[in-house]
Amino acid sequence: MKTPAVTRSKANLSLLPTILLIAIASAAYAAEPRQLLLSRDSKPEGEVKGLVDVVISPGFDDARVSVTMDGQKIADGVIAPYRIPIDFGLQPVEHRINVTALTADRKRVQWVTTINRGHLPLTIKVTPADYDNRIFEAAVTAPDGDPIAGVSLWDNGKPIATLTAPPYRFTLTPEHLATQFVQVTAKTKSGEEVADFWGAGGDVHAVTLDVRTVPLFVSVVDRNGATKDNVDASLFRIIDNGTEGKILEVTKAFQQPISIALLLDASSSMTYSMKQATAAAVTFVKRTLKEGDRCVVFSVRDSPRREIALTADRQAIESALTNMKPSGRTSLWDAIASAERELKDEKNRRAIVVLTDGGDTASIMSFDEIDRLTKESGVPIYFIAYQEDAIVDPKEVSRLRYLAGETGGFVAEASSQNLQAKYGDIEKDLRAQYAILYQITDFAKRNQWRRVNVQLKSPQLVARTIRGYFAQ
């Protein structure tokens, strides 16, 4: 499906896959964000994480400033007062920030600042330590708090040796070296995994081989759209980028905890519907969340406001919902981006549930950017298109359907008469999901889009899940 084109009204900000630039003009966070000064002479101390107000001092007036982080542009054409809000994530990670300032008369200054030095991400690099004796070594880094659990040597899609402590050195047999190809993976305690490769014809570390199990959450409906929760596991078949995956396990996902981001349109257009909308959301929370589940609440207005962080406290969630006050416009894409960021590090099953009475009118992000972000995140998005006094623009509903379809969710059109029932449809869908573990063994380039197709060996049943993902 072709992504609908959208014209941006603000073009000086762009999005990194893992770094969200968000507006901080609202009280989206309970505390003021930390301020980070970037100048030619500044040396940031301590850990930098979470939402940070980045202030740049170019050293002269009337400059336009560009900022890149780890080689990727995150802001361009920033003017005085040279401030950029950046969410660096929950954990401190080393970043190289490059600042370039340019004046109208072409005066230019550039410098690089490194933050969180020593806090390294998960990486692996395999090289021949002693090629003549067939010895290869893997250099590995890992985040703080998530140490390496094991480094494995692979052959034909299967691990043949694993080391749990450095130095990670492997001696290959003549048969292995005869292939002129070496693959090694590193796995952390939390289950994160990366792979690297060495080839006699040159460094091929930019290619990854998906050999680990891949989790997938799938909903099944019949031809009438009714959710089914009694499907035999033998009926499932998964095609990953044209290759059939080996299904290892099919279980009921409801037994797994879930983290839900609940987004409610709190713009001015919801003034007369807010009370009913929040009451329906409260009922959804009561019926859906079980012990071990968590929920975060965002109100969608001029800029997204996090009403309460991820919590299992139902009373606090209900209080956050009922205390919402409508005002301003609708920054729907920014709110979804904030929700994706909140759920990013959750190991639970995840979902985003959005109630809106119209399209986006205030976001910094473009539709193309939120399309990319939601595909990368792989979190199903369920939309309730609320229509009361006015009809939601069909073009806006089409965009919602596109995002929902790409992520494995759906769009329900609701009015005051059936709003609670539409929330109930989402609840049933989440309860009936299947958790599938499958394995693939073909090669993929990093950041390659891989199409996923779940088929059922029954003409009466249809599977709904993410339509693909970017290989990491």
Side-chain angles (χ1 to χ4, degrees), residues 254-322:
F254 183 67
Q255 303 304 320
Q256 301 183 21
I258 189 170
S259 296
I260 296 176
L262 194 55
L263 281 58
L264 266 72
D265 190 335
S267 60
S268 298
S269 61
M270 289 290 292
T271 298
Y272 299 106
S273 304
M274 200 75 235
K275 184 175 181 180
Q276 185 172 27
T278 54
V282 166
T283 301
F284 170 77
V285 168
K286 288 180 177 179
R287 292 180 177 177
T288 305
L289 297 187
K290 61 183 185 302
E291 186 175 354
D293 294 343
R294 304 207 297 166
C295 182
V296 57
V297 176
F298 285 90
S299 56
V300 185
R301 49 185 75 193
D302 285 318
S303 58
R305 177 173 180 171
R306 187 178 66 178
E307 302 291 345
I308 190 169
L310 274 168
T311 180
D313 187 338
R314 296 189 190 182
Q315 185 173 356
I317 296 169
E318 294 172 16
S319 177
L321 288 167
T322 55

Side-chain angles (χ1 to χ4, degrees), residues 1-201:
M1 178 182 293
K2 184 178 180 181
T3 304
V6 178
T7 300
R8 297 192 61 188
S9 60
K10 300 181 180 180
N12 66 324
L13 295 180
S14 60
L15 180 72
L16 277 176
T18 57
I19 301 173
L20 304 182
L21 305 180
I22 60 177
I24 59 171
S26 69
Y29 292 81
E32 287 294 321
R34 171 183 172 177
Q35 191 173 91
L36 173 65
L37 175 64
L38 296 181
S39 70
R40 284 172 288 180
D41 302 321
S42 64
K43 295 182 179 180
E45 297 180 356
E47 296 179 350
V48 180
K49 60 182 180 179
L51 182 64
V52 177
D53 183 15
V54 177
V55 180
I56 302 167
S57 177
F60 43 80
D61 298 330
D62 301 325
R64 288 188 175 272
V65 175
S66 299
V67 180
T68 63
M69 186 179 299
D70 303 326
Q72 299 187 59
K73 183 175 291 186
I74 60 173
D76 191 21
V78 179
I79 59 176
Y82 310 115
R83 302 179 70 166
I84 309 171
I86 300 179
D87 191 338
F88 286 96
L90 298 178
Q91 300 297 327
V93 175
E94 182 175 301
H95 296 290
R96 285 174 54 85
I97 305 175
N98 186 297
V99 179
T100 302
L102 186 67
T103 64
D105 59 0
R106 312 305 294 177
K107 182 178 180 180
R108 177 189 181 97
V109 64
Q110 186 174 25
W111 71 91
V112 177
T113 301
T114 301
I115 62 172
N116 299 325
R117 191 180 297 275
H119 295 277
L120 300 176
L122 177 61
T123 65
I124 184 171
K125 175 70 174 178
V126 59
T127 56
D130 185 348
Y131 182 80
D132 291 338
N133 291 306
R134 307 186 306 278
I135 299 174
F136 286 76
E137 183 170 350
V140 180
T141 66
D144 301 337
D146 192 14
I148 296 295
V151 176
S152 300
L153 175 69
W154 292 72
D155 180 42
N156 196 28
K158 296 180 180 179
I160 57 174
T162 299
L163 299 175
T164 57
Y168 302 109
R169 287 193 167 195
F170 300 93
T171 301
L172 278 65
T173 66
E175 291 78 13
H176 291 146
L177 196 56
T179 65
Q180 302 292 293
F181 187 79
V182 179
Q183 178 203 351
V184 179
T185 65
K187 190 173 185 178
T188 66
K189 187 176 180 180
S190 69
E192 295 296 320
E193 189 172 17
V194 291
D196 192 36
F197 305 83
W198 178 90

Side-chain angles (χ1 to χ4, degrees), residues 122-123 141 183 260 355 364 377 396 415 443:
L122 177 61
T123 65
T141 66
Q183 178 203 351
I260 296 176
L355 181 144
I364 292 175
S377 302
E396 299 300 336
S415 65
F443 291 96

Side-chain angles (χ1 to χ4, degrees), residues 172-461:
L172 278 65
T173 66
E175 291 78 13
H176 291 146
L177 196 56
T179 65
Q180 302 292 293
F181 187 79
V182 179
Q183 178 203 351
V184 179
T185 65
K187 190 173 185 178
T188 66
K189 187 176 180 180
S190 69
E192 295 296 320
E193 189 172 17
V194 291
D196 192 36
F197 305 83
W198 178 90
D203 188 2
V204 292
H205 73 279
V207 180
T208 58
L209 178 64
D210 290 307
V211 294
R212 61 186 183 276
T213 54
V214 178
L216 193 66
F217 295 104
V218 180
S219 299
V220 179
V221 297
D222 63 19
R223 293 297 179 182
N224 296 319
T227 301
K228 311 298 291 185
D229 61 359
N230 58 348
V231 179
D232 189 277
S234 64
L235 295 180
F236 288 99
R237 181 172 180 245
I238 296 177
I239 307 299
D240 185 305
N241 212 41
T243 300
E244 183 164 4
K246 179 182 178 182
I247 295 179
L248 305 177
E249 184 179 55
V250 179
T251 59
K252 292 291 186 66
F254 183 67
Q255 303 304 320
Q256 301 183 21
I258 189 170
S259 296
I260 296 176
L262 194 55
L263 281 58
L264 266 72
D265 190 335
S267 60
S268 298
S269 61
M270 289 290 292
T271 298
Y272 299 106
S273 304
M274 200 75 235
K275 184 175 181 180
Q276 185 172 27
T278 54
V282 166
T283 301
F284 170 77
V285 168
K286 288 180 177 179
R287 292 180 177 177
T288 305
L289 297 187
K290 61 183 185 302
E291 186 175 354
D293 294 343
R294 304 207 297 166
C295 182
V296 57
V297 176
F298 285 90
S299 56
V300 185
R301 49 185 75 193
D302 285 318
S303 58
R305 177 173 180 171
R306 187 178 66 178
E307 302 291 345
I308 190 169
L310 274 168
T311 180
D313 187 338
R314 296 189 190 182
Q315 185 173 356
I317 296 169
E318 294 172 16
S319 177
L321 288 167
T322 55
N323 289 331
M324 281 189 188
K325 304 297 181 185
S327 66
R329 297 181 299 165
T330 308
S331 57
L332 183 58
W333 310 146
D334 287 353
I336 294 174
S338 296
E340 297 279 11
R341 182 68 191 86
E342 190 80 8
L343 297 177
K344 179 178 180 293
D345 295 322
E346 288 294 285
K347 303 303 180 184
N348 299 341
R349 193 162 53 111
R350 301 171 297 168
I352 296 174
V353 179
V354 185
L355 181 144
T356 181
D357 70 344
D360 186 283
T361 60
S363 285
I364 292 175
M365 294 189 66
S366 70
F367 181 82
D368 290 339
E369 288 174 326
I370 199 64
D371 176 28
R372 168 88 184 193
L373 176 63
T374 54
K375 286 177 178 176
E376 289 171 346
S377 302
V379 180
I381 305 177
Y382 299 85
F383 289 99
I384 297 179
Y386 186 75
Q387 307 178 75
E388 196 59 38
D389 298 327
I391 302 299
V392 180
D393 186 342
K395 292 183 180 179
E396 299 300 336
V397 175
S398 176
R399 288 178 180 170
L400 302 186
R401 291 193 190 282
Y402 172 81
L403 291 177
E406 290 293 306
T407 61
F410 59 77
V411 175
E413 298 186 40
S415 65
S416 58
Q417 285 72 36
N418 63 1
L419 177 58
Q420 192 62 70
K422 298 303 180 181
Y423 267 117
D425 291 341
I426 297 173
E427 174 203 350
K428 292 175 184 177
D429 195 82
L430 293 174
R431 284 179 176 272
Q433 279 185 334
Y434 293 87
I436 300 179
L437 286 177
Y438 71 95
Q439 188 177 61
I440 51 176
T441 57
D442 65 328
F443 291 96
K445 293 182 179 179
R446 193 176 297 276
N447 292 324
Q448 177 192 38
W449 173 252
R450 297 178 65 85
R451 180 65 64 177
V452 173
N453 182 16
V454 179
Q455 302 174 359
L456 285 157
K457 302 171 187 176
S458 169
Q460 305 302 320
L461 300 176

